[in-house]
């Protein structure tokens, strides 16, 4: 492979291109009109504008992307995550055009892309499943019957879903109709497929997933787990590896189950098998994500393996260079997703210009981002600014390191999930390791961040008065009136 | 001029503190350099950094615990102006529904002249691929609808006016 096009934007496009360059391969960026000054565009060896800002006219325009590949002599397409990454039709078209799709084969994507087909596929492999009904429904009356049978609360899920989109918890029958319509409509607009199904909602669940890696010669390994239970709106915010609750025995069992799921659909490339785990450490197969995951850095940090490099090697037809026995967990890694969202206002997107943007630096600190100071966060795409990941020799060290990195990460102009990250890392439940996916609902209120801000604001007020007293006592002549606010105190 | 004899109001972001002379005098705070302070409060040891200051010394940008704050000391005149400003604002009633975030209007459920009651759905706004129902929190009559289906709106943009 001499040239790879990255069909994505922002931080993940940049992260993929860094590996591409390290491997001595040329990179091609694609971008929408609002992303012209995005770092991924500036970093790439070649860049092509796809069209206007809305994804449907830019990053989702698969035919145009394939045409660009033909024109520029591209050998491989890396789809990143989101956008076209789990679109089996696109993957097939790419392969039909004689270009390598850097990801799993279209058939495995098709099966695992449909939660219903996935359940069907793994049926014969003795993998534990969540109680529920495994067929698509559109009729509200039928839905009510099923919900009654499995018992409320139930979870409505989009068959084609992911990332919490098209997913709704329904507590009581009177909410079912409205929630189902929303889920169907959301699923239709996000995935082009409105079919939904209903599952029993598991209480106190932890979300634990296993990273798998498979070459085209039947070698499949797992790269241990990621604990992703800290979520808001069903989307992960804090992820870590290893999980603080898994025993070596359960880790082995889950790893083997994940490898089995991958094998059931002849999976190749990187993939993630998601499990729900109850408070007795029973685990149930949830779904398989047929792509690189946002939280992949924690796995890279504890295994020392560059997952994007492995994807490219597998796509080139190389065998895995290691076996399951070669893989070891080294230390502990935690990632915080830094979203442009206001944790004080229901995590609603907070859009604006990054008036201050300074990244933390240091050993064991990794920032995958796609922004620079002065850039504006567009409304058209996911509001993630960066992934902030740290690696320590154990969990305690990793927690401390991440707390410090959050303090050193200076972002002004938009609200972010950084203060929420501090809240999580300081919370007793997180520190002890005894938490589940209800962490946010159970423990978090905006007041807690507000109270802490207020305490710090009070100290700032005291310092301000001290400074003012001191300055006015000196009776200094006013230096330069025209630049009053800009006077930096560098002396 | 020394320590103030009256309470001093300090605005910090959207917080406001009314510091008493005793409070100020008792604060255990040292200035280590032009831009660095150290403070001990309830046994908590805190570094405070001065990032920017205006020429009057009343308006500062300070960093506490990694978080930046804009502080503004309000003397008596400033406070009087504030009070006038606040009282003018507080008598206004909710007359419009604004977009809580930027997004795309997917559906509008109301028409001009329609009576709506608390909890009614006004419209559906899609932001970052999530659909959000915008509800009304009062009983009112719709005076004007300023948006149409498929329109992109900015945060704070007036969507619907109420009578």
């Amino acid at each position: 492979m001499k040239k790879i096009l990255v069909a994505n934007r922002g931080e993940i496009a940049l992260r993929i291109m860094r590996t591409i360059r390290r491997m001595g391969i040329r990179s091609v960026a694609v971008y929408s009109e609002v992303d012209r000054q995005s770092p991924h565009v500036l970093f790439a060896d070649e860049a092509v504008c796809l069209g206007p800002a809305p994804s449907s006219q830019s990053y989702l325009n698969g035919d145009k992307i394939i045409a660009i590949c033909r024109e520029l002599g591209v050998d491989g397409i890396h789809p990143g995550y989101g956008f076209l990454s789990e679109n089996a039709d696109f993957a097939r078209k790419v392969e039909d055009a004689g270009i390598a799709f850097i990801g799993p084969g279209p058939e495995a994507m098709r099966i695992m892309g449909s939660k219903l087909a996935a359940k069907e596929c793994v049926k014969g492999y003795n993998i534990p499943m969540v109680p529920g009904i495994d067929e698509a429904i559109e009729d509200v009356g039928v839905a009510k019957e099923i919900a009654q049978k499995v018992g409320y609360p139930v979870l409505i899920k989009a068959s084609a879903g992911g990332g919490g989109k098209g997913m709704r918890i329904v507590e009581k029958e009177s909410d079912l109709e409205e929630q189902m319509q929303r889920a169907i409509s959301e699923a239709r607009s996000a995935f082009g497929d409105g079919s939904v199904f209903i599952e029993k909602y598991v209480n106190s669940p932890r979300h634990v997933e296993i990273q798998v890696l498979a070459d085209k010669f039947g070698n499949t390994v797992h790269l241990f787990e990621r604990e992703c239970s800290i979520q808001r709106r069903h989307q992960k915010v804090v992820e870590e590896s290893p999980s603080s609750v898994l025993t070596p025995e359960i880790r082995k069992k889950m790893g083997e189950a994940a490898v089995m799921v991958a094998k059931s659909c002849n999976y190749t490339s990187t993939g993630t098998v998601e499990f729900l785990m109850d408070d007795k450490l029973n685990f149930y197969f949830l779904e398989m994500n047929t792509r690189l995951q946002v939280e992949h850095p924690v796995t890279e940090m504890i295994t020392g393996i560059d997952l994007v490099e492995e994807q490219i090697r597998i796509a080139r037809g190389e065998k895995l260079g290691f076996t399951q026995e070669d893989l070891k967990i080294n230390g502990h890694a935690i990632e915080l997703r830094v979203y442009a969202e206001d944790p004080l206002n229901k995590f609603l997107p907070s859009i604006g210009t990054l008036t201050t943007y300074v990244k933390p630096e240091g050993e064991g600190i990794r920032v995958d981002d796609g922004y620079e100071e002065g850039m504006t966060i567009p409304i058209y795409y996911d509001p993630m600014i960066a992934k902030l990941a740290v690696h320590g020799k154990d969990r305690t060290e990793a927690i401390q390191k991440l707390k410090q990195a959050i303090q050193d990460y200076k972002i002004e102009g938009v609200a972010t999930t950084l203060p929420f990250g501090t809240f999580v890392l300081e919370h007793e439940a997180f520190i002890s390791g005894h938490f589940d996916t209800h962490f946010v609902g159970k423990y978090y209120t905006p007041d807690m961040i507000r109270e802490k801000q207020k305490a710090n604001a009070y100290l700032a007020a005291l310092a301000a008065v001290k400074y003012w007293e001191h300055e006015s006592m000196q009776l200094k002549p006013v230096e330069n009136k025209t630049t009053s606010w800009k006077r930096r105190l560098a002396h | 001029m020394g320590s103030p004899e009256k309470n001093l109001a300090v605005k910090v972001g959207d917080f406001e503190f009314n510091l008493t002379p005793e409070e100020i005098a008792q604060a255990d705070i040292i200035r280590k350099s032009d831009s660095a302070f150290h403070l001990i409060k309830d046994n908590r040891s805190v570094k405070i950094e001065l990032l920017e200051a205006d020429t009057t010394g009343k308006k500062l940008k300070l960093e506490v615990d990694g978080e930046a704050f804009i502080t503004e000391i309000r003397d008596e005149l400033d406070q009087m102006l504030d009070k006038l400003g606040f009282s003018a604002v507080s008598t206004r009633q909710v007359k419009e529904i604004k977009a809580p975030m930027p997004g795309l209007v997917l559906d509008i459920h109301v028409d001009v002249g329609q009576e709506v009651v608390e909890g009614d759905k006004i419209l559906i706004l899609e932001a970052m691929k999530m659909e959000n129902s915008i509800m009304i929190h009062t009983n009112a009559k719709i005076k004007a609808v300023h948006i149409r289906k498929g329109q992109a709106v900015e945060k704070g943009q007036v969507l619907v006016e109420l009578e």
Side-chain angles (χ1 to χ4, degrees), chain A residues 388-402:
Chain A
L388 171 59
V390 300
H391 184 240
K393 68 175 191 298
D394 54 29
R395 191 167 187 264
T396 306
E397 191 182 286
I399 289 175
Q400 286 309 115
K401 202 175 267 188
L402 185 52

Side-chain angles (χ1 to χ4, degrees), chain A residues 111-112 114-123 129 285 288:
Chain A
I111 294 168
M112 290 301 161
S114 155
K115 292 181 186 184
L116 297 174
K119 285 186 176 203
E120 190 60 36
C121 179
V122 304
K123 244 179 195 167
M129 314 279 255
F285 170 62
M288 180 169 192

Side-chain angles (χ1 to χ4, degrees), chain A residues 168-358:
Chain A
R168 303 276 159 158
I169 301 170
V170 184
E171 306 277 352
K172 52 187 192 298
E173 189 173 298
S174 57
D175 294 340
L176 189 68
E177 185 163 352
E178 157 84 10
Q179 293 298 329
M180 202 168 138
Q181 275 168 3
R182 288 271 68 78
I184 290 173
S185 158
E186 228 172 78
R188 200 171 282 140
S189 85
F191 316 110
D193 175 2
S195 51
V196 298
F197 65 101
I198 288 182
E199 252 174 26
K200 170 83 185 144
Y201 184 69
V202 177
N203 276 314
S204 307
R206 295 176 81 106
H207 179 120
V208 181
E209 60 187 29
I210 304 282
Q211 175 72 54
V212 296
L213 197 51
D215 66 17
K216 293 176 179 171
F217 303 92
N219 303 307
T220 306
V221 297
H222 71 86
L223 285 80
F224 314 108
E225 76 276 11
R226 287 184 295 255
E227 158 68 64
C228 309
S229 299
I230 308 289
Q231 310 184 347
R232 51 98 191 73
R233 289 201 311 240
H234 305 294
Q235 282 181 313
K236 303 158 190 168
V237 212
V238 177
E239 300 105 340
E240 64 180 318
S241 186
S243 158
S244 51
V245 290
L246 291 204
T247 61
E249 292 72 36
I250 294 173
R251 177 170 298 124
K252 188 159 179 284
K253 261 204 230 164
M254 288 182 88
E256 284 165 359
V259 166
M260 212 54 95
V261 169
K263 290 199 172 205
S264 77
C265 63
N266 298 315
Y267 198 84
T268 56
S269 195
T270 61
T272 295
V273 181
E274 298 193 335
F275 295 98
L276 268 188
M277 183 172 264
D278 68 18
D279 45 6
K280 293 174 187 70
L281 304 187
N282 296 308
F283 60 90
Y284 306 97
F285 170 62
L286 206 57
E287 60 174 312
M288 180 169 192
N289 292 317
T290 57
R291 55 174 153 86
L292 192 67
Q293 300 266 110
V294 177
E295 58 273 26
H296 75 275
V298 295
T299 299
E300 294 185 327
M301 286 176 128
I302 59 148
T303 59
I305 287 168
D306 181 332
L307 289 169
V308 173
E309 181 179 337
E310 294 305 319
Q311 286 186 300
I312 294 170
R313 290 187 182 283
I314 291 164
R316 291 202 290 221
E318 292 176 29
K319 276 188 183 168
L320 284 183
F322 43 83
T323 62
Q324 190 67 58
E325 287 66 41
D326 297 330
L327 294 165
K328 297 273 175 308
I329 295 175
N330 168 31
H332 197 97
I334 314 178
E335 174 186 277
L336 168 67
R337 299 190 189 186
V338 184
Y339 282 102
E341 287 181 356
D342 189 356
L344 298 178
N345 186 17
K346 300 174 196 151
F347 293 98
L348 287 178
S350 166
I351 307 304
T353 301
L354 299 167
T355 52
T356 300
Y357 186 78
V358 184

Side-chain angles (χ1 to χ4, degrees), chain A residues 55 164-165 168 178 182 185-186 189 233 345 348-349 351 356 378-383 407 410 412 450 452-473 478 480-481 484-485 487-489 491, chain B residues 1-4 8 10 12 14-15 17 19 23-24 27 29 31 34 37 39 41 44 46 48 50-71 73 101-102 121 124 126 128-131 133:
Chain A
S55 314
K165 285 154 196 168
R168 303 276 159 158
E178 157 84 10
R182 288 271 68 78
S185 158
E186 228 172 78
S189 85
R233 289 201 311 240
N345 186 17
L348 287 178
I351 307 304
T356 300
I379 67 160
Y380 304 95
Y381 317 110
D382 189 272
Q407 277 217 10
K410 312 289 180 206
E412 287 172 38
R450 236 359 231 174
K452 201 178 150 195
Q453 272 182 352
K454 192 177 176 182
N456 284 337
Y458 176 72
L459 302 182
L462 289 175
V465 169
K466 193 82 177 175
Y467 174 84
W468 183 52
E469 282 178 0
H470 189 265
E471 290 296 291
S472 21
M473 261 193 295
V478 174
N480 188 349
K481 267 193 172 155
S484 73
W485 181 241
R487 186 180 138 222
R488 295 250 169 189
L489 283 133
H491 51 270
Chain B
M1 91 180 230
S3 290
L8 209 50
V10 186
V12 185
D14 50 5
F15 297 103
F17 302 96
L19 304 179
E23 232 175 339
I24 294 165
I29 181 166
R31 192 166 178 186
D34 269 349
F37 296 88
L39 199 153
K41 172 77 183 160
R44 192 176 152 214
V46 188
I48 298 180
L50 180 61
L51 302 175
E52 288 173 32
D54 79 344
T55 46
T56 65
K58 283 165 84 177
K59 199 172 173 188
L60 311 178
K61 187 170 168 184
L62 292 162
E63 190 178 294
V64 185
D65 236 5
E67 199 175 346
F69 292 98
I70 304 279
T71 63
I73 296 172
M101 66 202 131
K121 236 184 322 178
I124 297 184
E126 188 194 63
M128 308 301 176
K129 306 281 170 213
M130 293 283 288
E131 292 187 11
S133 293

Side-chain angles (χ1 to χ4, degrees), chain A residues 5-221:
Chain A
L5 180 144
V6 180
N8 215 299
R9 64 180 295 279
E11 58 84 26
I12 186 56
L14 189 60
R15 182 261 168 274
I16 292 165
M17 284 178 198
R18 288 203 172 110
T19 293
I20 292 174
R21 179 159 298 166
R22 199 166 43 72
M23 294 175 78
I25 301 169
R26 287 179 66 78
S27 56
V28 182
V30 289
Y31 62 97
S32 75
E33 283 161 10
V34 290
D35 280 343
R36 171 63 185 85
Q37 53 168 330
S38 220
H40 80 277
V41 182
L42 309 185
F43 183 88
D45 296 310
E46 295 174 52
V48 184
C49 182
L50 285 170
S55 314
S56 57
Q57 295 170 59
S58 52
Y59 297 103
L60 288 174
N61 190 344
D63 291 341
K64 186 156 185 185
I65 289 168
I66 292 170
I68 290 166
C69 288
R70 283 211 172 100
E71 202 178 305
L72 300 181
V74 167
D75 319 289
I77 294 181
H78 196 304
Y81 37 70
F83 297 123
L84 294 164
S85 64
E86 290 170 287
N87 185 324
D89 292 339
F90 175 69
R92 183 156 338 259
K93 279 189 196 166
V94 169
E95 297 205 333
D96 289 349
I99 303 160
F101 182 82
I102 302 169
E107 187 52 21
M109 281 169 81
R110 188 192 61 76
I111 294 168
M112 290 301 161
S114 155
K115 292 181 186 184
L116 297 174
K119 285 186 176 203
E120 190 60 36
C121 179
V122 304
K123 244 179 195 167
Y125 291 82
N126 213 14
I127 289 158
M129 314 279 255
V130 184
I133 228 79
D134 50 3
E135 61 189 59
I137 40 167
E138 276 186 40
D139 188 297
V140 178
V142 177
K144 281 183 180 167
E145 269 175 44
I146 296 167
Q148 209 127 55
K149 219 183 287 170
V150 298
Y152 288 91
V154 295
L155 198 57
I156 307 176
K157 285 165 112 178
S159 179
K165 285 154 196 168
M167 184 148 89
R168 303 276 159 158
I169 301 170
V170 184
E171 306 277 352
K172 52 187 192 298
E173 189 173 298
S174 57
D175 294 340
L176 189 68
E177 185 163 352
E178 157 84 10
Q179 293 298 329
M180 202 168 138
Q181 275 168 3
R182 288 271 68 78
I184 290 173
S185 158
E186 228 172 78
R188 200 171 282 140
S189 85
F191 316 110
D193 175 2
S195 51
V196 298
F197 65 101
I198 288 182
E199 252 174 26
K200 170 83 185 144
Y201 184 69
V202 177
N203 276 314
S204 307
R206 295 176 81 106
H207 179 120
V208 181
E209 60 187 29
I210 304 282
Q211 175 72 54
V212 296
L213 197 51
D215 66 17
K216 293 176 179 171
F217 303 92
N219 303 307
T220 306
V221 297

